[in-house]
Amino acid sequence: MSEELVNSFNEEMTLELAKRLEDDNYTSPFDGLNDWHLLRALAINRPELTSDYIHLLDQEPFDEN
């Protein structure tokens, strides 16, 4: 993610990104992955914008049985 893109985000844009990730209604799995990487970049560089959405970055444990 470019620094310019990350720095252009505000609270409203971050909320829209989080809603897309929560809805998980993408036409391509790559679209969802791109949004996930963007949220991750925001969490690293602009954590004040993502504190309410960190749960979207956490990986859920899974049972291999």
Side-chain angles (χ1 to χ4, degrees):
M1 294 295 135
S2 74
E3 185 176 340
E4 184 177 319
L5 175 62
V6 170
N7 288 335
S8 72
F9 262 70
N10 60 31
E11 289 180 14
E12 184 178 317
M13 294 166 72
T14 307
L15 174 61
E16 289 175 23
L17 174 64
K19 284 182 181 179
R20 287 198 309 266
L21 284 164
E22 285 180 344
D23 291 344
D24 194 26
N25 188 21
Y26 294 98
T27 56
S28 161
F30 296 107
D31 293 337
L33 188 59
N34 286 336
D35 275 355
W36 185 86
H37 282 291
L38 178 54
L39 185 65
R40 184 173 175 269
L42 286 168
I44 292 168
N45 297 293
R46 307 276 311 276
E48 71 279 4
L49 293 177
T50 60
S51 61
D52 293 337
Y53 314 115
I54 292 300
H55 66 280
L56 295 171
L57 294 174
D58 292 339
Q59 292 185 2
E60 295 183 24
F62 59 91
D63 186 4
E64 292 183 8
N65 296 326

